[in-house]
Amino acid sequence: MKRRSFLATTAAAAVGTQVLGGVPLKAFTPMNMPVPMQPDDDRVLIVVQLFGGNDGLNTIIPVDDPNYYAIRPTIAVPKEKAISVLSRVYMHPALAPKDQYGFPQMFEDGRLAVVQGIGYENPNLSHFRSTDIWLSGFNSSDPEVRLLDGWLGRYWSKHLPGFPEQLPPDPIAVQIGGSLSMLLQSPKGDIGIALSDPQKFFELGQGLSPDMTPMSDETRYGREFNFVRTVAEQCDKYSSVVKNSFDKGKNVATYGEGGFIQQMKLVARLISGGLKSKIFLVYMGGFDTHVQQQDEYQNGLHPYLLGQLASGIGSFMQDALSQGFADRVVGMTVSEFGRRPYENGSRGTDHGAASAQFVFGNGVRAGVYGQSPDLTNFDGNGDVRYQWDYRRVYADVLENWFGGSPQETEDVLQDRVLPLGVLQRATSVDDAYEGRVEVNIRVSPNPSAEHVSVEWYQPVNGVTTVEIYGTDGRYVKTLLTDRLAPGTHRVSADGLQSGSYLCAVMINGRRSVAPLTVVR
Amino acid sequence: MKRRDLFRSIARTSVRADAPLDQPLQVIGGIEEYTQPLTLDDVLHLFRRLSYGITMPAAKAYVGKTARQVVTELLGPNDPGDPKLAVGFIKWRDPVSGQMVDYTENPEGADLQAAFAIRSWWGTNHAQLSRWIMYESLRDTMAIERIANFWTSHWTTEFAFDDQFSQPHTLYNQYLMLRKDRLGNFRTMALDMTLDHGMLFYLGGWLNEAGRPNENYARELLELFTTGIGWYTEGDIQQAARVLTGWKVARFNDQPAPKGIYNSWFDAKKHDTGAKEFMGVTIPARTADNNTEFQVRNEEVRELIDIIFRARPDAVARFIAGKVYMHFVYSSAGEVDKEFVGDLAKAFKEADFDLRTLFLKAFTSAHFFDPAVRGVQIKTPFEYVVGILKLLRFEDAEAAKFDPPQWTILMDQKIYDAPNVAGWPGYRSWITTNTYPRRREFARKIIDAMTDDRALQLIKEMPDYEDVTKFVASMVQYMLPVPVNETRLAYYKSTLLEGQPDYTWAEKIKQPASAARSLRALLKAIAVAPDFQLC
């Protein structure tokens, strides 16, 4: 695996030399630099980070599994208290705050997807490492492998020629509060800004540009100098941009009290005011529910947090619908892990593994992805096994939401990962010109015992790749890479071990997927 | 041949920050001792990193000494003695009833108003504690508080977490303990912290009982405090949690306090007396007769710590050496010098985990004085705030007008209140569009608040201050970590002189008001530069 972006480069440093750069611009005539273009589509991603490890089993309730009630004698949600949604899924009652647009309604309206069993192979039970794994998009528990930047940071820093010396007119990402997350860091610097109070930011940020040229990146000192310089530029440049959007924007929905809800309110107002940021990152802590997570009436810390989550997202969606920007916003929750299936002695749960994830917005293909967790088949630590590699939803975001190519997904994640299909694909006007077409794949026989053939008709000529993935979304093998003429093509998929797979046919960068099962 | 030897053979042997070279350089300095007499740049560099800065006259007095002499003096004795200042926790008077609030009263169960008063009182005390740590650091001319503060960032204990509060008195006690342990044996520190009242409360050790273990502290002891991640199994954590059962805190007057309020104690009934198997070593079961505080402390808790150090000596040495490296030398996780940290860890392990050896080795090494690692650290908010106050010679009484701990909060660092048990993420996370404007604002306020007399004093402390060119160079040397180019120096000089010719400087320095105005302009111009955030 290539780890270009977090491999340490040997630094060449020349502190004693007369460094070029770092020159006050006031000493010269100011330069006019071209600015990078703002990305031209208007799609927005909201990342909702739930720090501490959200208890998936007490979020989406497996009411029909007696094992659930056996292993959680004091904190299980009784079936009659859980909220049944379209008979598909039972939710914790806290996800339906009274008189608000809650998760059950959003699900019924086709604006919410529930991804069961999101996680990764060899789960790491450290908050910090697992958070880094989630935010970086690199699944490595090897302490020697330093995870230094985020999957969104890497993706967008590549999309901005001239970054960070030249900044786009609007910040690519806005994090509400806190120190800037790894998610938004890139090898070239931060792609976003941290924002608490737009008014204060405006008052303090004006005129903070140091008016100095960048230094050479050859030395460590030069790199740190340039990092600070870029943040100073971002303050100066974005403080008025953010203020403008804040002043122009409005909220028409009613929002409740609470830090997270207010963060969502601010995000809605900035989008409403025309801020062209692609990513907003909001944060809620407190999910590390070792002690007293819930009492016998389904009250307590965890229900409180779920209520805040549903209320904040619900109000935001109402705002988005009323103001007409709901079609161009999707959001996803990320949490470093779920909890141990067995409750501990303190009415709480310890660190676990796979969990449930929410994806929301009009662009979502609503539904439940995956099965209810198997509570009879745990991993070596006694934790829920994962069904989907967590990066499958990232691949959705990159390819289906931001319109990136599978190759870009691979570059960002340094691994081939198949999108889960939870987001509707952005169709680009270029698709037809570039011959990016979707095809129907026929796998026969399916399931198969010995010989399997994969067949499809492609109307265009182009570079075609046929790949096999595991159902968790991780790459298994490539069957074919070739430039093919229009027509029907067939390739053999023999030699796979027994199991379920996904077969992906990619033509000119557009992917189609079909299931494939081998039984021997 | 090691990588470094290769470079050493092709680079000149003596590389000095004040001797410009024509080409960029690799880090060539390793663990070997830096034996040359220290230059002024060396002294300033050392004090920026291992202390909170130094005044120009004090720095000049160290020039010509060796790194070993100066670092030995900076580290001070293992027991630093009493703090210079008294923390002076005040008591809280209830604004409504006018009664003094008993701070050991349990707010849970108390009426709402009393509970509110008690929690407010903790908030007040936390602010006092923060000011105390800050002024103590401002007064310190050695590395005592600097290193103690480093250890508080390692053994994170939060003041406010979830909906709980660590009582500031217990944090104060913890600080004094870390201050005493800061240069001793790391095992001692690990044992002391494991049974520390503040830590027992913060990481739930007090809830960890036989039959209902709480793994919280056991996990962090390994992951964050000793070996680092990857050197233990989940089973080791579960077993360590069992070893650590039975330790209790005494927070309130309605709770048992056999050792007195705010002192931890041992509840034999809650200790798991069964045998434990930790990192391949058996800690035997015990009978009720020998289930005493003394025995469990020595035969189980101390043994647990000892097993970690016996079974994973390289991991511990490397983890702690790496922590010191990232905190004091270069914080970029991707660019930790593995060879140097490995050598440092080796020395640390060979000294049987003696921390004085670790610090002495690190700060007298050629690596630490290498030009390639100068000016590469981003100042933490605490370093930045205390650093500016020290740079401009503010005493604590004067500094108090600005309530400096409030400023570090605006810069995302609340003293003794990291965001989570992993501590502050540090490095570039310190500088964001939220915090950077606050840094600039603070510098501006302090520069504006500098009196004319103080400004004149500062000017006269610079060598050859009457020569304006040399004065500007000295001031830049004093304020910024790395020499700047001629263009910048010329720009700073013209800022100081407001564009007038050099000879006007002689006139200016005769009039305090005029000199002060010019100096403020110069200081502000320097504080605007990105490298003012670096050290």
Side-chain angles (χ1 to χ4, degrees):
Chain A
M1 176 165 161
K2 295 165 285 180
R3 290 219 167 78
R4 170 188 29 68
S5 58
F6 54 92
L7 264 182
T9 51
T10 341
V15 176
T17 51
Q18 293 279 310
V19 282
L20 299 172
V23 172
L25 288 176
K26 282 177 193 144
F28 299 113
T29 324
M31 281 180 273
N32 277 323
M33 297 185 190
V35 288
M37 301 261 291
Q38 200 75 31
D40 53 3
D41 75 73
D42 58 359
R43 294 192 154 199
V44 176
L45 171 73
I46 299 175
V47 179
V48 179
Q49 189 183 352
L50 312 178
F51 183 77
N54 180 37
D55 186 6
L57 281 174
N58 265 27
T59 301
I60 301 300
I61 316 296
V63 294
D64 294 323
D65 188 343
N67 295 306
Y68 169 66
Y69 295 98
I71 61 180
R72 296 201 160 184
T74 72
I75 60 164
V77 178
K79 183 169 185 177
E80 65 273 18
K81 299 285 184 191
I83 299 194
S84 165
V85 192
L86 298 176
S87 311
R88 297 279 321 276
V89 60
Y90 285 79
M91 292 186 185
H92 194 292
L95 291 170
K98 198 168 174 297
D99 302 325
Q100 291 191 46
Y101 191 43
F103 277 12
Q105 190 63 47
M106 277 174 61
F107 189 92
E108 288 180 15
D109 293 350
R111 299 201 170 94
L112 185 72
V114 174
V115 183
Q116 288 274 32
I118 193 89
Y120 54 88
E121 193 167 33
N122 299 324
N124 194 302
L125 301 199
S126 154
H127 289 296
F128 310 106
R129 187 66 186 195
S130 198
T131 298
D132 288 354
I133 287 171
W134 270 85
L135 298 182
S136 67
F138 292 128
N139 177 12
S140 173
S141 283
D142 180 354
E144 293 296 310
V145 175
R146 310 306 292 252
L147 305 177
L148 301 174
D149 44 42
W151 63 281
L152 286 170
R154 291 194 300 276
Y155 178 79
W156 282 105
S157 70
K158 277 191 155 185
H159 271 64
L160 298 171
F163 178 84
E165 285 75 25
Q166 297 143 46
L167 301 169
D170 289 27
I172 286 296
V174 176
Q175 171 182 331
I176 310 297
S179 304
L180 204 78
S181 167
M182 173 195 277
L183 183 69
L184 307 178
Q185 290 170 16
S186 83
K188 295 196 214 164
D190 298 345
I191 60 149
I193 63 167
L195 173 74
S196 295
D197 176 346
Q199 186 61 38
K200 211 69 213 161
F201 185 38
F202 177 70
E203 287 164 17
L204 296 173
Q206 294 292 294
L208 285 198
S209 167
D211 291 329
M212 294 176 95
T213 57
M215 288 206 184
S216 155
D217 259 347
E218 292 294 301
T219 69
R220 297 165 185 203
Y221 166 68
R223 285 200 286 277
E224 303 309 336
F225 178 100
N226 291 345
F227 165 75
V228 177
R229 181 192 162 278
T230 300
V231 175
E233 295 278 343
Q234 285 172 330
C235 290
D236 197 11
K237 181 166 191 137
Y238 294 142
S239 51
S240 50
V241 171
V242 167
K243 170 84 157 69
N244 255 334
S245 300
F246 183 75
D247 288 346
K248 274 199 296 189
K250 59 182 195 259
N251 296 108
V252 300
T254 312
Y255 289 81
E257 294 299 314
F260 170 73
I261 297 172
Q262 293 300 310
Q263 290 180 34
M264 292 302 292
K265 184 179 179 180
L266 176 56
V267 171
R269 181 156 169 182
L270 293 173
I271 296 173
S272 148
L275 194 68
K276 293 192 186 67
S277 298
K278 305 300 294 175
I279 301 156
F280 290 88
L281 174 61
V282 291
Y283 177 96
M284 197 184 346
F287 284 87
D288 193 19
T289 49
H290 286 279
V291 180
Q292 297 292 337
Q293 77 175 63
Q294 174 166 298
D295 68 14
E296 57 200 296
Y297 308 106
Q298 290 82 51
N299 292 317
L301 179 59
H302 188 240
Y304 169 78
L305 294 170
L306 292 180
Q308 291 276 303
L309 177 71
S311 174
I313 291 173
S315 298
F316 174 87
M317 279 310 296
Q318 281 188 316
D319 221 350
L321 288 161
S322 308
Q323 300 197 53
F325 60 82
D327 286 347
R328 55 186 190 89
V329 180
V330 296
M332 63 196 273
T333 60
V334 298
S335 191
E336 66 267 33
F337 39 61
R339 314 297 298 179
R340 184 90 23 102
Y342 287 86
E343 68 177 66
N344 63 21
S346 336
R347 275 196 106 103
T349 44
D350 295 325
H351 302 182
S355 190
Q357 179 183 30
F358 293 110
V359 187
F360 60 91
N362 284 4
V364 163
R365 293 182 205 254
V368 180
Y369 292 74
Q371 311 296 317
S372 192
D374 182 350
L375 300 181
T376 60
N377 177 19
F378 296 134
D379 70 11
N381 292 324
D383 287 321
V384 172
R385 292 181 188 276
Y386 80 108
Q387 300 172 49
W388 315 113
D389 187 289
Y390 69 117
R391 295 166 301 172
R392 292 203 65 176
V393 181
Y394 297 175
D396 260 274
V397 168
L398 296 179
E399 294 178 32
N400 294 338
W401 193 246
F402 288 144
S405 67
Q407 183 57 48
E408 284 173 303
T409 303
E410 188 181 335
D411 289 346
V412 166
L413 301 176
Q414 300 284 303
D415 205 353
R416 293 186 211 185
V417 180
L418 205 55
L420 184 59
V422 67
L423 295 175
Q424 288 166 26
R425 195 178 188 280
T427 36
S428 148
V429 286
D430 295 334
D431 280 354
Y433 293 111
E434 308 282 339
R436 288 193 286 262
V437 293
E438 251 183 82
V439 296
N440 281 320
I441 304 168
R442 274 172 27 99
V443 177
S444 62
N446 195 17
S448 83
E450 241 170 86
H451 300 295
V452 197
S453 86
V454 174
E455 188 185 289
W456 71 96
Y457 169 77
Q458 65 184 65
V460 294
N461 95 45
V463 177
T464 305
T465 306
V466 182
E467 291 167 331
I468 300 294
Y469 289 82
T471 52
D472 62 356
R474 296 190 307 152
Y475 172 77
V476 176
K477 66 192 281 192
T478 300
L479 301 179
L480 168 90
T481 303
D482 206 350
R483 176 170 281 280
L484 299 181
T488 301
H489 300 274
R490 183 180 299 131
V491 60
S492 155
D494 294 354
L496 291 168
Q497 295 178 339
S498 283
S500 295
Y501 299 92
L502 295 166
C503 174
V505 176
M506 185 161 67
I507 298 165
N508 296 321
R510 177 85 188 250
R511 196 141 49 184
S512 312
V513 180
L516 184 161
T517 302
V518 177
V519 185
R520 291 221 168 84
Chain B
M1 191 185 225
K2 286 182 163 187
R3 168 171 67 85
R4 226 187 308 278
D5 297 330
L6 178 70
F7 290 124
R8 211 168 280 138
S9 64
I10 53 174
R12 61 172 88 175
T13 48
S14 147
V15 180
R16 307 300 295 260
D18 55 358
L21 291 170
D22 303 320
Q23 60 199 38
L25 267 187
Q26 305 282 342
V27 189
I28 60 163
I31 191 81
E32 69 280 2
E33 190 165 329
Y34 187 73
T35 52
Q36 300 156 63
L38 298 185
T39 63
L40 185 56
D41 276 330
D42 293 340
V43 172
L44 291 168
H45 170 62
L46 178 61
F47 276 79
R48 281 177 191 126
R49 296 292 183 86
L50 191 53
S51 185
Y52 292 107
I54 185 171
T55 64
M56 197 55 130
K60 272 159 54 190
Y62 283 115
V63 171
K65 296 192 177 185
T66 64
R68 177 168 286 270
Q69 287 171 323
V70 182
V71 173
T72 303
E73 192 180 320
L74 261 171
L75 293 177
N78 275 22
D79 183 347
D82 291 334
K84 294 188 175 68
L85 295 162
V87 67
F89 284 126
I90 55 151
K91 294 199 170 185
W92 180 264
R93 188 180 294 279
D94 186 293
V96 179
S97 68
Q99 299 290 306
M100 296 303 287
V101 176
D102 178 1
Y103 57 81
T104 63
E105 193 182 330
N106 193 338
E108 280 169 40
D111 65 64
L112 274 180
Q113 200 182 329
F116 179 77
I118 293 165
R119 294 202 175 99
S120 310
W121 184 79
W122 291 339
T124 306
N125 280 173
H126 175 260
Q128 287 175 302
L129 176 68
S130 305
R131 284 196 287 274
W132 173 78
I133 292 178
M134 193 162 261
Y135 300 151
E136 191 70 16
S137 302
L138 183 57
R139 285 198 179 196
D140 191 17
T141 53
M142 295 159 69
I144 295 168
E145 314 306 335
R146 182 78 174 75
I147 294 176
N149 275 316
F150 161 68
W151 288 119
T152 67
S153 75
H154 178 74
W155 300 92
T156 303
T157 310
E158 291 175 60
F159 165 60
F161 58 102
D162 301 337
D163 51 355
Q164 314 247 42
F165 294 94
S166 298
Q167 289 149 301
H169 280 74
T170 66
L171 300 178
Y172 175 67
N173 293 342
Q174 188 192 76
Y175 184 89
L176 292 186
M177 187 176 78
L178 285 171
R179 199 169 170 268
K180 277 206 179 68
D181 284 351
R182 77 194 188 289
L183 297 174
N185 192 288
F186 187 56
R187 278 192 202 88
T188 309
M189 182 186 277
L191 179 65
D192 284 349
M193 282 307 298
T194 299
L195 300 180
D196 171 67
H197 186 288
M199 185 58 88
L200 277 171
F201 179 66
Y202 171 55
L203 287 185
W206 66 296
L207 298 165
N208 183 22
E209 298 181 348
R212 38 181 287 185
N214 183 311
E215 297 171 6
N216 209 349
Y217 179 76
R219 179 185 302 280
E220 308 309 3
L221 172 66
L222 295 167
E223 179 182 335
L224 298 176
F225 302 148
T226 55
T227 64
I229 198 166
W231 296 97
Y232 46 85
T233 64
E234 287 296 312
D236 288 331
I237 289 172
Q238 288 160 9
Q239 295 295 305
R242 292 181 57 218
V243 171
L244 296 171
T245 46
W247 297 90
K248 297 289 160 193
V249 293
R251 305 183 71 219
F252 303 117
N253 60 15
D254 59 355
Q255 294 172 336
K259 298 284 185 82
I261 193 87
Y262 301 147
N263 287 311
S264 56
W265 59 284
F266 179 68
D267 184 350
K269 294 190 298 297
K270 301 293 164 63
H271 180 66
D272 183 338
T273 53
K276 295 103 183 172
E277 183 84 18
F278 176 72
M279 289 186 173
V281 181
T282 304
I283 296 178
R286 61 185 56 248
T287 61
D289 288 346
N290 57 22
N291 188 18
T292 65
E293 169 165 351
F294 180 79
Q295 282 165 305
V296 171
R297 181 189 163 95
N298 286 299
E299 294 162 17
E300 294 205 32
V301 185
R302 189 188 295 276
E303 174 65 3
L304 177 82
I305 305 286
D306 282 349
I307 294 170
I308 298 171
F309 284 71
R310 284 203 308 269
R312 306 282 185 266
D314 296 313
V316 174
R318 208 181 155 84
F319 185 63
I320 300 304
K323 227 30 207 287
V324 167
Y325 187 86
M326 286 185 60
H327 192 92
F328 293 98
V329 183
Y330 190 28
S331 299
S332 174
E335 293 181 84
V336 171
D337 188 307
K338 290 194 172 161
E339 192 178 323
F340 176 71
V341 171
D343 289 345
L344 201 55
K346 190 158 162 275
F348 183 40
K349 187 181 124 183
E350 279 166 6
D352 194 31
F353 303 99
D354 176 53
L355 292 167
R356 172 180 294 277
T357 305
L358 175 64
F359 280 99
L360 193 62
K361 276 277 179 199
F363 290 100
T364 58
S365 69
H367 185 90
F368 175 73
F369 286 97
D370 196 295
V373 299
R374 298 201 186 190
V376 302
Q377 280 292 71
I378 290 172
K379 294 172 186 167
T380 67
F382 192 91
E383 288 164 31
Y384 182 78
V385 166
V386 175
I388 291 179
L389 293 170
K390 196 164 230 178
L391 212 52
L392 302 188
R393 311 287 247 119
F394 277 65
E395 314 263 316
D396 36 85
E398 261 179 296
K401 285 180 230 155
F402 299 93
D403 199 359
Q406 282 304 315
W407 283 92
T408 67
I409 292 172
L410 293 172
M411 300 169 196
D412 275 355
Q413 188 177 34
K414 188 169 179 182
I415 295 167
Y416 249 121
D417 203 26
N420 57 50
V421 64
W424 289 283
Y427 187 42
R428 291 184 176 181
S429 75
W430 287 129
I431 306 269
T432 68
T433 46
N434 260 338
T435 60
Y436 181 74
R438 298 300 189 169
R439 287 183 176 232
R440 291 277 294 267
E441 191 186 9
F442 181 74
R444 186 166 45 77
K445 275 197 193 305
I446 297 300
I447 293 167
D448 278 338
M450 188 173 56
T451 63
D452 292 355
D453 289 346
R454 172 66 45 73
L456 204 59
Q457 178 198 349
L458 198 58
I459 291 170
K460 291 184 174 169
E461 282 177 4
M462 296 300 132
D464 303 318
Y465 70 93
E466 285 163 322
D467 178 329
V468 69
T469 306
K470 286 180 179 165
F471 168 72
V472 169
S474 288
M475 210 65 213
V476 168
Q477 182 183 28
Y478 182 56
M479 303 274 289
L480 298 177
V482 167
V484 305
N485 57 31
E486 292 300 327
T487 317
R488 263 175 89 177
L489 282 176
Y491 170 71
Y492 289 141
K493 189 165 85 175
S494 81
T495 304
L496 177 79
L497 295 177
E498 295 162 277
Q500 292 171 330
D502 285 11
Y503 67 81
T504 57
W505 180 240
E507 288 305 307
K508 276 183 193 289
I509 51 178
K510 284 183 194 140
Q511 304 154 358
S514 163
R517 196 179 64 240
S518 297
L519 181 67
R520 285 188 202 105
L522 172 65
L523 292 177
K524 282 181 190 170
I526 295 174
V528 163
D531 34 359
F532 187 61
Q533 307 301 325
L534 306 176
C535 69

